Amino acid sequence: MTSTSDEIKAQLKSAKICLKDKQYNEALKILTKVLKADNSNFNAYVYCAQAFSSLQDDDKAVKALKKAVEIRTDQIIPWLLLCKIYENKKITKDVYRELMNVYNHLLQLEEDEQKWLEYCKQVDIHTCEQKDQDQYIATFHTFVSSPVQFKKNKAAQLLSDLFMVDKNYASPHLETFAEAFSISVLNLSEDRDKRFKKIPFYFQLLFKLKKFQDLIYSCEDVLQVYDSNVTALEWVCKSIIVFYLGDNSTSLEFKSHPGSYYIDKLAECAPGSLFLAYTAHAVQLINTGEYVKARDEYLLPAVEMKSADWQAHFVLGKVHRILHCYEEAERCIEQVYKRLSDSSSLKKSYNMDWELAEVLCCQTSDDKKQQGLNLCLELLSENFASDNKAKSDVNRSLLIHTLRTSIDLENTHVYEQYINILEHVPAPWKLYIEAYQVIVCLYISLLLQFVFLLRNFGS
């Protein structure tokens, strides 16, 4: 005989009374009948779990609650009961994993801010005990994009606070931390001093991730809230400079003001950062082809400042190279190397050794040419060892300078060793080397004829 809806309601009411009176076995008998009539009755499974839990049968209680959450995913009660059960158990790896899953659901479903913050504390406690920072990050990253404002703000605050403690720029979660900082530094409900301290960490993260366009937009957002914030102005200038040094073919965009506005603002607000402003101004001129003006009005004064760093010298070196002032370019690169450690990854990131090889090869002195050739051969050897033969622009340029300089120095061994690699290089470059070789041969031939004529004339 099938129970009617009213009968089921009556039975559930009776089971609830039994639970209240601590008649747990009697409650289970009634609930068994309910589930036979309706095996998807959410309340019946919850009441069963309460009865089993009171009878110290946690396994059956958990099984009933998991069935309940399958039926009603939007209800928090089964998760609260599961939380109580797991919190009373000895924390093994399996229990910890289940408990973290429970707290994830509690954080998703809880609407009361104070209770939500309490769950956050519990997640913090358990992940600290287990030394499981990855789980902590994964849990709160979910809420950085939450439509519920207090959850979004608090999750961003917790993650950004964590990064400020660890300062681990090698973390696999840098993207997550950057997202958290983007919310936290502009969250006006957070303590102002704390927000100010977070700003440089946020910008450094975006810089580390090479998200220069995002960094520009973020600096502008910060400057909308904190007018004349020197840190933001400095990072605008750093982004302009480093973006140029990375040989990017595109240009940075600005939302509120042109880049020159922020550069001038930095020069006005922070005299100690004037070298940054000057270098950024120079880069903007370089991007429009005004090399001489960039060098004379901004870069030469910038490198004379005590606070000038390697970037100003490197940009000046690039300009000298473009203007064929190779000896000056070499001196600039030497200044860069003095300011960087021998193991600095920046040397490889910005192809500094390649820059030095080119300016040495292009000088008139045979000694300098030989130094440049040796450096070209060393760099080509490293690059070819990784099976990147002539695939990158850097390799092609190194190859061209190697062949040109080997012709200049009449080093046929090096020339013959590398000329065949030109098969991997676009045709125009091969023609260029062949033409250069012909020109050099003609020059030598003409020179010999001139010497011969002079001797004849003398005799």
mmCIF file of all heavy atoms in Angstrom, residues 148-165:
data_model
loop_
_atom_site.group_PDB
_atom_site.id
_atom_site.type_symbol
_atom_site.label_atom_id
_atom_site.label_comp_id
_atom_site.label_asym_id
_atom_site.label_seq_id
_atom_site.Cartn_x
_atom_site.Cartn_y
_atom_site.Cartn_z
ATOM 1 N N VAL A 148 28.875 37.400 -4.207
ATOM 2 C CA VAL A 148 28.583 37.912 -2.863
ATOM 3 C C VAL A 148 29.779 38.775 -2.435
ATOM 4 O O VAL A 148 30.896 38.270 -2.269
ATOM 5 C CB VAL A 148 28.356 36.770 -1.856
ATOM 6 C CG1 VAL A 148 28.003 37.334 -0.479
ATOM 7 C CG2 VAL A 148 27.264 35.826 -2.347
ATOM 8 N N GLN A 149 29.546 40.064 -2.230
ATOM 9 C CA GLN A 149 30.637 41.017 -2.048
ATOM 10 C C GLN A 149 31.509 40.718 -0.833
ATOM 11 O O GLN A 149 32.741 40.779 -0.909
ATOM 12 C CB GLN A 149 30.078 42.440 -1.958
ATOM 13 C CG GLN A 149 31.119 43.534 -2.208
ATOM 14 C CD GLN A 149 31.720 43.479 -3.602
ATOM 15 O OE1 GLN A 149 31.016 43.298 -4.585
ATOM 16 N NE2 GLN A 149 33.039 43.610 -3.690
ATOM 17 N N PHE A 150 30.890 40.383 0.314
ATOM 18 C CA PHE A 150 31.710 40.167 1.516
ATOM 19 C C PHE A 150 32.594 38.933 1.351
ATOM 20 O O PHE A 150 33.725 38.884 1.850
ATOM 21 C CB PHE A 150 30.841 40.100 2.783
ATOM 22 C CG PHE A 150 30.134 38.796 3.028
ATOM 23 C CD1 PHE A 150 30.798 37.709 3.582
ATOM 24 C CD2 PHE A 150 28.783 38.649 2.732
ATOM 25 C CE1 PHE A 150 30.141 36.509 3.834
ATOM 26 C CE2 PHE A 150 28.115 37.460 2.980
ATOM 27 C CZ PHE A 150 28.788 36.380 3.515
ATOM 28 N N LYS A 151 32.100 37.924 0.631
ATOM 29 C CA LYS A 151 32.910 36.729 0.392
ATOM 30 C C LYS A 151 34.081 37.056 -0.535
ATOM 31 O O LYS A 151 35.223 36.636 -0.299
ATOM 32 C CB LYS A 151 32.058 35.620 -0.230
ATOM 33 C CG LYS A 151 30.981 35.053 0.687
ATOM 34 C CD LYS A 151 30.242 33.912 0.030
ATOM 35 C CE LYS A 151 29.152 33.365 0.955
ATOM 36 N NZ LYS A 151 28.434 32.211 0.361
ATOM 37 N N LYS A 152 33.800 37.796 -1.571
ATOM 38 C CA LYS A 152 34.828 38.200 -2.533
ATOM 39 C C LYS A 152 35.927 39.015 -1.855
ATOM 40 O O LYS A 152 37.118 38.741 -2.024
ATOM 41 C CB LYS A 152 34.159 39.009 -3.640
ATOM 42 C CG LYS A 152 35.088 39.504 -4.731
ATOM 43 C CD LYS A 152 34.283 40.240 -5.789
ATOM 44 C CE LYS A 152 35.165 40.726 -6.915
ATOM 45 N NZ LYS A 152 34.377 41.349 -8.003
ATOM 46 N N ASN A 153 35.524 40.011 -1.077
ATOM 47 C CA ASN A 153 36.495 40.885 -0.418
ATOM 48 C C ASN A 153 37.341 40.141 0.601
ATOM 49 O O ASN A 153 38.560 40.332 0.683
ATOM 50 C CB ASN A 153 35.782 42.056 0.257
ATOM 51 C CG ASN A 153 35.222 43.049 -0.747
ATOM 52 O OD1 ASN A 153 35.625 43.079 -1.904
ATOM 53 N ND2 ASN A 153 34.269 43.865 -0.309
ATOM 54 N N LYS A 154 36.687 39.297 1.399
ATOM 55 C CA LYS A 154 37.417 38.580 2.448
ATOM 56 C C LYS A 154 38.374 37.550 1.857
ATOM 57 O O LYS A 154 39.513 37.413 2.328
ATOM 58 C CB LYS A 154 36.431 37.890 3.404
ATOM 59 C CG LYS A 154 37.100 37.252 4.621
ATOM 60 C CD LYS A 154 37.805 38.301 5.471
ATOM 61 C CE LYS A 154 38.480 37.673 6.689
ATOM 62 N NZ LYS A 154 39.184 38.674 7.511
ATOM 63 N N ALA A 155 37.936 36.834 0.826
ATOM 64 C CA ALA A 155 38.813 35.849 0.187
ATOM 65 C C ALA A 155 40.035 36.534 -0.409
ATOM 66 O O ALA A 155 41.170 36.057 -0.272
ATOM 67 C CB ALA A 155 38.046 35.091 -0.893
ATOM 68 N N ALA A 156 39.816 37.684 -1.057
ATOM 69 C CA ALA A 156 40.930 38.443 -1.635
ATOM 70 C C ALA A 156 41.882 38.922 -0.548
ATOM 71 O O ALA A 156 43.110 38.891 -0.709
ATOM 72 C CB ALA A 156 40.387 39.623 -2.433
ATOM 73 N N GLN A 157 41.321 39.354 0.561
ATOM 74 C CA GLN A 157 42.147 39.830 1.680
ATOM 75 C C GLN A 157 43.000 38.700 2.254
ATOM 76 O O GLN A 157 44.203 38.867 2.487
ATOM 77 C CB GLN A 157 41.261 40.407 2.776
ATOM 78 C CG GLN A 157 42.040 40.947 3.973
ATOM 79 C CD GLN A 157 41.139 41.382 5.117
ATOM 80 O OE1 GLN A 157 39.990 41.769 4.899
ATOM 81 N NE2 GLN A 157 41.640 41.295 6.327
ATOM 82 N N LEU A 158 42.375 37.534 2.461
ATOM 83 C CA LEU A 158 43.096 36.398 3.037
ATOM 84 C C LEU A 158 44.243 35.949 2.132
ATOM 85 O O LEU A 158 45.354 35.679 2.609
ATOM 86 C CB LEU A 158 42.133 35.230 3.280
ATOM 87 C CG LEU A 158 41.106 35.433 4.402
ATOM 88 C CD1 LEU A 158 40.072 34.317 4.377
ATOM 89 C CD2 LEU A 158 41.797 35.484 5.759
ATOM 90 N N LEU A 159 43.991 35.869 0.830
ATOM 91 C CA LEU A 159 45.031 35.406 -0.098
ATOM 92 C C LEU A 159 46.150 36.429 -0.244
ATOM 93 O O LEU A 159 47.337 36.066 -0.276
ATOM 94 C CB LEU A 159 44.407 35.105 -1.462
ATOM 95 C CG LEU A 159 43.521 33.853 -1.515
ATOM 96 C CD1 LEU A 159 42.808 33.742 -2.856
ATOM 97 C CD2 LEU A 159 44.339 32.592 -1.256
ATOM 98 N N SER A 160 45.786 37.694 -0.323
ATOM 99 C CA SER A 160 46.833 38.725 -0.434
ATOM 100 C C SER A 160 47.642 38.824 0.853
ATOM 101 O O SER A 160 48.862 39.026 0.824
ATOM 102 C CB SER A 160 46.221 40.080 -0.806
ATOM 103 O OG SER A 160 45.179 40.444 0.075
ATOM 104 N N ASP A 161 46.982 38.650 1.999
ATOM 105 C CA ASP A 161 47.704 38.633 3.282
ATOM 106 C C ASP A 161 48.700 37.477 3.329
ATOM 107 O O ASP A 161 49.824 37.624 3.825
ATOM 108 C CB ASP A 161 46.725 38.501 4.452
ATOM 109 C CG ASP A 161 45.947 39.791 4.708
ATOM 110 O OD1 ASP A 161 46.280 40.816 4.097
ATOM 111 O OD2 ASP A 161 44.987 39.755 5.507
ATOM 112 N N LEU A 162 48.271 36.326 2.830
ATOM 113 C CA LEU A 162 49.142 35.154 2.814
ATOM 114 C C LEU A 162 50.396 35.421 1.988
ATOM 115 O O LEU A 162 51.511 35.104 2.409
ATOM 116 C CB LEU A 162 48.391 33.948 2.234
ATOM 117 C CG LEU A 162 49.218 32.682 1.988
ATOM 118 C CD1 LEU A 162 49.758 32.132 3.300
ATOM 119 C CD2 LEU A 162 48.389 31.623 1.269
ATOM 120 N N PHE A 163 50.214 36.033 0.821
ATOM 121 C CA PHE A 163 51.371 36.309 -0.036
ATOM 122 C C PHE A 163 52.322 37.296 0.634
ATOM 123 O O PHE A 163 53.545 37.164 0.527
ATOM 124 C CB PHE A 163 50.930 36.856 -1.388
ATOM 125 C CG PHE A 163 52.072 37.024 -2.341
ATOM 126 C CD1 PHE A 163 52.532 35.950 -3.084
ATOM 127 C CD2 PHE A 163 52.722 38.242 -2.470
ATOM 128 C CE1 PHE A 163 53.612 36.082 -3.939
ATOM 129 C CE2 PHE A 163 53.796 38.391 -3.328
ATOM 130 C CZ PHE A 163 54.240 37.305 -4.069
ATOM 131 N N MET A 164 51.783 38.285 1.324
ATOM 132 C CA MET A 164 52.629 39.275 1.988
ATOM 133 C C MET A 164 53.464 38.657 3.092
ATOM 134 O O MET A 164 54.544 39.156 3.417
ATOM 135 C CB MET A 164 51.762 40.398 2.543
ATOM 136 C CG MET A 164 51.202 41.307 1.455
ATOM 137 S SD MET A 164 50.166 42.614 2.111
ATOM 138 C CE MET A 164 51.374 43.633 2.958
ATOM 139 N N VAL A 165 52.986 37.554 3.652
ATOM 140 C CA VAL A 165 53.756 36.846 4.689
ATOM 141 C C VAL A 165 54.845 35.995 4.044
ATOM 142 O O VAL A 165 56.001 36.019 4.450
ATOM 143 C CB VAL A 165 52.823 35.961 5.549
ATOM 144 C CG1 VAL A 165 53.643 35.082 6.490
ATOM 145 C CG2 VAL A 165 51.855 36.824 6.342
#
